Amino acid sequence: MTITLCAFDMAGTTIDDKGRVYDALRDCVTRQGATVADDDLQTWMGTEKRDAITNLLRLGGVEPTSQVVDAGYADFVELLRTYYRQTPPVALPGVEQAFTILRRNAIKVALTTGFSREVAGPLLEALGWGVGRQLDAVVCADEVAAGRPAPYMVHRALERTGTASMAEVLVAGDTVADVQAGLRSGAAQSIGVLTGALGSDQLTAAGATAVLEGVQDVPAHLGLGE
């Protein structure tokens, strides 16, 4: 069946944030007294950020009470805003052109993110991206019952774009959680991209149906020309 919807992750997949979301997540947890192992940080990247903070606190030796998690999340939001002011995010190379090619070929483009709307909104505004322009839908982790690796953001993207079947959906992201969410959603393809911190072997081990250098290669992967 023909792909009619591509659902892409944001940071590390379509947006180059210079790794600042990693920095903010690590720093907000260490400020609460936890230690953060690199492997644990990578495991929880791409997930809803309150869930990530809760689990990283526990793994780092701090009891994740609601008060501690709330403080960590507030810190995360403020740190990320500060880091993004210092190092403004930019579109990854070729991504905006890929969006144009896909939409020109009647393939809708949705973004899904582990960010809340309060974080994702200003980020997208800074890039000049919006629904009705480059995008057909944006789904944030605080708008569904559970973030990645649960499949609900992909399903919400399907709903918001009026896509008829998961058999028409391609999901792509740079983390294990992205790939797992795509697989669990029943999407026709759940692709890993190499623009984040993981390599091809790790994304393949997670079950990626294909691994591409980046979102810029998705149109060619689908057999689309310029």
Side-chain angles (χ1 to χ4, degrees):
M1 186 175 288
T2 302
I3 296 296
T4 63
L5 169 64
C6 288
F8 300 124
D9 171 52
M10 285 176 53
T13 299
T14 54
I15 298 170
D16 181 4
D17 78 336
K18 315 299 181 184
R20 298 308 256 164
V21 67
Y22 283 81
D23 296 338
L25 187 56
R26 182 192 61 242
D27 294 349
C28 80
V29 173
T30 57
R31 284 187 177 192
Q32 299 303 315
T35 57
V36 181
D38 288 343
D39 286 349
D40 290 337
L41 184 63
Q42 181 56 55
T43 295
W44 290 98
M45 279 300 300
T47 65
E48 194 276 326
K49 294 304 177 277
R50 284 185 184 274
D51 286 347
I53 290 166
T54 298
N55 284 279
L56 288 170
L57 286 167
R58 184 179 293 115
L59 289 165
V62 173
E63 179 64 25
T65 65
S66 59
Q67 183 177 5
V68 172
V69 172
D70 286 347
Y73 182 75
D75 235 0
F76 169 77
V77 171
E78 187 56 39
L79 284 167
L80 193 62
R81 286 173 174 164
T82 298
Y83 294 163
Y84 280 171
R85 283 194 297 269
Q86 296 169 347
T87 312
V90 296
L92 278 161
V95 164
E96 291 178 330
Q97 182 180 11
F99 289 174
T100 298
I101 295 170
L102 292 168
R103 299 181 81 227
R104 187 185 298 148
N105 284 272
I107 298 174
K108 294 177 180 177
V109 174
L111 296 185
T112 64
T113 178
F115 294 153
S116 64
R117 181 63 66 169
E118 70 174 330
V119 175
L123 173 57
L124 292 172
E125 287 175 11
L127 290 164
W129 292 0
V131 174
R133 300 194 298 274
Q134 299 86 350
L135 309 170
D136 296 286
V138 176
V139 183
C140 299
D142 61 342
E143 298 172 335
V144 293
R148 292 186 290 248
Y152 305 130
M153 286 197 290
V154 180
H155 293 160
R156 185 60 58 84
L158 185 90
E159 176 187 0
R160 288 185 176 173
T161 58
T163 303
S165 168
M166 290 306 306
E168 300 176 19
V169 180
L170 178 151
V171 174
D174 66 298
T175 70
V176 168
D178 294 325
V179 172
Q180 290 176 336
L183 294 171
R184 293 177 183 183
S185 75
Q189 300 187 45
S190 187
I191 291 173
V193 294
L194 299 174
T195 44
L198 297 185
S200 180
D201 289 349
Q202 293 161 298
L203 293 166
T204 299
T209 57
V211 177
L212 304 178
E213 288 297 321
V215 166
Q216 76 273 11
D217 295 329
V218 169
H221 173 75
L222 294 175
L224 305 176
E226 293 295 319

